[in-house]
Structure formats: C-alpha cells, structure tokens
Amino acid sequence: MEIYDSEGNLIHVEEKKQGFWAKIGGGSLMIAALFHVVLLVIGGFWVFQIIKEPEKKVDFMPPGGGGGERSADKVAVKKLKQITPTNNSKRVFAEGAVSSYAIPEQGDDFGEMSALSSLSGGGMSGGLGGSGSGSGFGKGSGNGAGMGMGAGVGKLFGMIPETMRKRCSKEDRLARLKENGGTPACEEAVVKGLRWLKANQNPDGSWATANQSAMTGLALLAYFGHCETPLSEEFGESCMRGIVYLVGVGMQNKGPLVSNVASQSGPYEHGIATYAIGEAATFCKELKIEVPNLMEVTEKAGQFIIDNQNQNGGWSYAYTIQGGHTDSSVVGWQLQALKACHHTNIKYKGMASAIRKGLDYLAALQGENGSFGYSGPGGGNLTGVGVLCFQMWDKGKSKEARNGVKFIKEAFKLDWNTADSDLYAHYYASQAMMQAGGSYWKSYNNLFRDELLNNQNPDGSWKAPAFTGHGQAAGNAVYRNTLCILMLEVYYRFLNTSGGGGGGGSKGKLDI
C-alpha cells in the first residue's frame, strides 16, 4: 500500500501480503495444467479414430468326424500330413504303386468277399457283372453324396450342395433322424457298422478280397453318408486311405477306376468307384484337403462314362458303344456317378446329353404297373433304381417317378429269413421312398427300419439274409454291410423332397 503527505509526496510503501497460492505460482500452474488436459483430449481422440481394434479371427475348421467333439487343429493337420500322399505320388502311381505312404499292417481279420464268379455268374439277374440270364451288380443305385464332418455347417461347407451339407451337422442330422421316423438305435447301428468297416480295411486302403474298386467305393460312400471325411477324428485316416487307393487305381489306368474295365463287371466297378471319388472330390475341395491327382482322376473317370455311353442311351458291359448288353442296374450306377461328378463343378463335355439319354433309356424299361425292368419293360425289384435316378436328376414329379413309388409301396416286402430280403433292391427303394416322402416314406420306414436293426451282429456287421442273389452271398460281408449302413443313413443322407422334383438336389441346375 502507498502513503502520501499533504503535499502529495510518497512517504511509505506497504507491501501487499501474498497468499500461499500466489507464492507458489498457482496461476501459472493452472494454465499449464489446462494446456496439458487439452493436449490429452486431442491425443485420445486421435488414438481412437486412427488405431482400430484388431478383428477377431474366426476358425472354420470342422471338429472331429460325425459331429463328435472338436479335436485340436494342430493334431488334425499333423495326422493328415502323415497319411496324405507325397508330391511325387503321380510318378509313383504311374510306375505301378498304389500309394506313396506307409500304412501300418492291420492283421488278417479282413471282411471276406467271394470270387468275381459268385457275383457275375449266369442266373443271378443282376449281379456284379455276369453272363447268361444274369448280370449286373444288382438292381439299384445309391444316391449318396457327401462328406465333410463336424457339428456345424458354417461357411466351410457353403459351396457344398445342401443335400450333402446337411448331414455334416450332428444336431441337424439327429433332428432329421427323429423327424423322419428314425430312432437313436439307427444312429448307433450306423456308427457300429462304420467301425466294423474301419476294422476290416485292407493294408493298401481297399476293402474286400475281390472287386476292390467297387467295395472301396461303397465303403467310402458309407463314410461320406455320415459325413466322415479325411479330417474325421475317428475315421479320417481310414477314409483318406480309401480315397488314395482309388486315386492310385485311376492313375495306373489313366482314368478307369478298375484294372479290367472291358470285363462284364467293369462298368459296375467303375461306376461305383466314380460315384465315391466324385463325392470325395467335392468335400476335399471345400475342406482344403490336398490329395494329389484327385481332381484329375475325378475328371477323367466321369468323362470316361460320358464318352462310353451306348448308342441306345444305356451303358453296356465292357462299355461297348454299339451293341452289347445294357440294363437298368448298370445304368443306375453311371447316372449316380455323373451326379456326384456334377457336384464337383468340373466341366464335363456332353454331360447334359448323356443324362437325358440315360433317363430316356430307363423310361423305356418301365411297365404299365409302374415297375422298372432289368433289360425290358416292367419287372419289379429294379424299380428303386429307375425312380431314384429320375428323382436325383430333378425329375421327381415325373410320371415315371410317381408311378414307380406307387409300385414300391404296393409290392415291396422285407423279411430277412425269406426270399424277400433283396438288400440291393431295398438299398435303392429306401432312398427313392425317402425322396417321395409323405405316406410313401411312412409305410416304407415301417417296413425296413426294425428289420435292419434286428439283424445286426454285436460287432457291427449284419447277418447274411436268406436271399443270396445279386452278390449277396454269405461271404460278401463288405458288400452286405455297406448296403445296410447306407440304408440306415437315408434319414439324413438326402433332403426329403416330399414328392418334389429335386430328389437328390443339384448344385447348379443342369439343363437336360
């Protein structure tokens, strides 16, 4: 404070007392603090705008086979590498070796298969090849399709046809089993049957002791029907070995999946094996499983069928193009094989024309009562073949298919201890009636389900039925067991079309 005298002169200055805040420079400190707060706000805003949270990786690798518990990815990859052919497999196959990896010996407990003569002799009316009055691998065809694995469909299976993909979700598979009149015992029987197949596989990856291409194809279809693939925890190695075996046969023969394709049994074996290798190609492609030469063999095998169609629209023994013997049983396997090839999205020359001519051939074998004959109009036990082929090629609403399912409902019987135990005929009929749906399927389900369940052995195999035609001799265990497994997988192996025209479905409609 300043003090002045009467004349205005400054005589005293009293210092103003400062508070503590002023003494420590509080004002300047406040300004500095505010400045830094502003900097922090600006910096934080920049960080959240520029630096984003990293995206979470989603693993679409499927869990263990058949919808089982998920196994560690590293373990699955390691196991797969151990059984996948090496990169030089093409050279090895060309030199005559069946595969290029080592497989542990499994002992001598293999499923027995009789000699080819027991399947192809005369008088069989549809065995695996044959001469005289008999021929053919039976009468029917399987419309199977698929593999994959795990309990969830997701993006991994997005490109696989829905009819194949659905079986790859355990939850969906069991729901469809119940929905379609199946029981838990049906699923248990299938798994037991697959375990029997795994235990009775040959060291080279094939099955049986005769007609290995056909038997290996049927075994693989049984695996695929339950969505067991090379990535399956329990059946993966067995599945891969079977695929590699057929690829090896195809490489050795430059396309045909049987050594003697010119034999009477050749078209059966090649057709069945091509059916299986086509499904394998679809699943391996989408699952990113690298099997050397698989796609090449699949392309050549399918094109071989198209290029060797008989001039009458069917397919003949020895694949003769002019003349020769053609029948509905041989034709059924070729049409099923081509369906599996069509699912791969491989471009085949003449596919649509071959299918159209094949269906025309079958239509000419249908009698007035709706039954499909073996090599002439009407007959009976080959009706499932004709119906299924029309259904799987989007002709489920045709008069041929509709009249055929009516005949099956009225005429088919199944009794293990009588002549009404033709498993080959019922293998087809079960699929055809499932596709038809409604009352047709309900009546057929009551006919076949418990008969199969009641005749399975404790080890997972099936008892030999009384009917011994069509390759069903007691010693043909692999053949019999694969048919039974495929029949019990029908609850979820294909989507029910309820009489619609998409039986079997197609991945991209083929204009036929």
Side-chain angles (χ1 to χ4, degrees), residues 133-424:
S133 62
S135 56
F137 190 68
K139 317 169 183 158
S141 70
N143 185 18
M147 33 174 111
M149 46 181 312
V153 180
K155 292 183 179 180
L156 182 66
F157 297 94
M159 297 300 292
I160 295 174
E162 186 180 14
T163 52
M164 296 169 67
R165 186 186 343 125
K166 280 289 188 177
R167 75 188 77 152
C168 296
S169 163
K170 181 178 181 181
E171 182 180 354
D172 184 77
R173 187 170 68 240
L174 296 180
R176 279 156 47 76
L177 176 71
K178 181 179 180 181
E179 227 173 70
N180 292 318
T183 65
C186 295
E187 180 73 353
E188 181 181 346
V190 167
V191 174
K192 287 171 60 179
L194 294 178
R195 287 172 177 160
W196 185 91
L197 284 179
K198 178 183 175 183
N200 287 274
Q201 187 175 20
N202 295 331
D204 65 357
S206 67
W207 273 269
T209 57
N211 312 120
Q212 283 97 332
S213 289
M215 297 303 108
T216 302
L218 288 172
L220 287 174
L221 288 172
Y223 275 157
F224 300 157
H226 197 252
C227 208
E228 305 298 343
T229 74
L231 294 184
S232 298
E233 185 173 355
E234 183 173 0
F235 302 104
E237 181 177 348
S238 176
C239 183
M240 175 63 92
R241 292 166 61 212
I243 294 171
V244 171
Y245 173 82
L246 289 183
V247 170
V249 173
M251 291 301 295
Q252 288 175 10
N253 299 308
K254 299 180 180 180
L257 297 176
V258 58
S259 297
N260 188 9
V261 75
S263 66
Q264 291 181 336
S265 63
Y268 288 99
E269 293 218 56
H270 179 71
I272 294 169
T274 301
Y275 185 5
I277 212 71
E279 290 202 0
T282 296
F283 277 96
C284 287
K285 177 182 177 183
E286 298 307 323
L287 293 171
K288 304 294 187 277
I289 300 172
E290 195 66 37
V291 181
N293 309 309
L294 173 59
M295 300 307 291
E296 178 184 347
V297 167
T298 303
E299 180 178 4
K300 288 184 176 180
Q303 194 64 52
F304 183 88
I305 292 175
I306 295 171
D307 294 342
N308 289 278
Q309 187 174 24
N310 193 273
Q311 61 182 1
N312 69 4
W315 278 269
S316 171
Y317 292 163
Y319 280 114
T320 55
I321 297 176
Q322 295 182 347
H325 169 88
T326 58
D327 61 63
S328 55
S329 183
V330 174
V331 171
W333 287 113
Q334 314 311 307
L335 291 178
Q336 291 176 95
L338 290 181
K339 185 65 175 186
C341 290
H342 176 55
H343 278 155
T344 66
N345 276 345
I346 293 173
K347 303 300 181 184
Y348 291 93
K349 296 179 180 178
M351 171 77 82
S353 175
I355 300 306
R356 183 174 59 252
K357 290 189 291 185
L359 293 180
D360 287 344
Y361 174 87
L362 288 177
L365 297 182
Q366 189 170 36
E368 294 182 0
N369 63 355
S371 65
F372 284 83
Y374 173 64
S375 57
N381 56 2
L382 283 174
T383 302
V385 181
V387 173
L388 184 60
C389 286
F390 275 91
Q391 290 172 331
M392 71 191 307
W393 283 106
D394 304 309
K395 303 292 182 182
K397 290 182 179 179
S398 66
K399 62 181 177 57
E400 289 86 359
R402 288 185 284 108
N403 292 338
V405 295
K406 290 178 183 177
F407 178 84
I408 294 174
K409 183 178 180 181
E410 295 169 358
F412 272 45
K413 298 177 182 178
L414 179 56
D415 184 338
W416 219 263
N417 300 312
T418 72
D420 292 319
S421 55
D422 184 349
L423 299 181
Y424 188 60

Side-chain angles (χ1 to χ4, degrees), residues 109-129:
D109 187 17
F110 305 139
E112 291 300 319
M113 209 33 216
S114 64
L116 181 60
S117 59
S118 70
L119 291 169
S120 59
M124 282 174 45
S125 180
L128 177 65

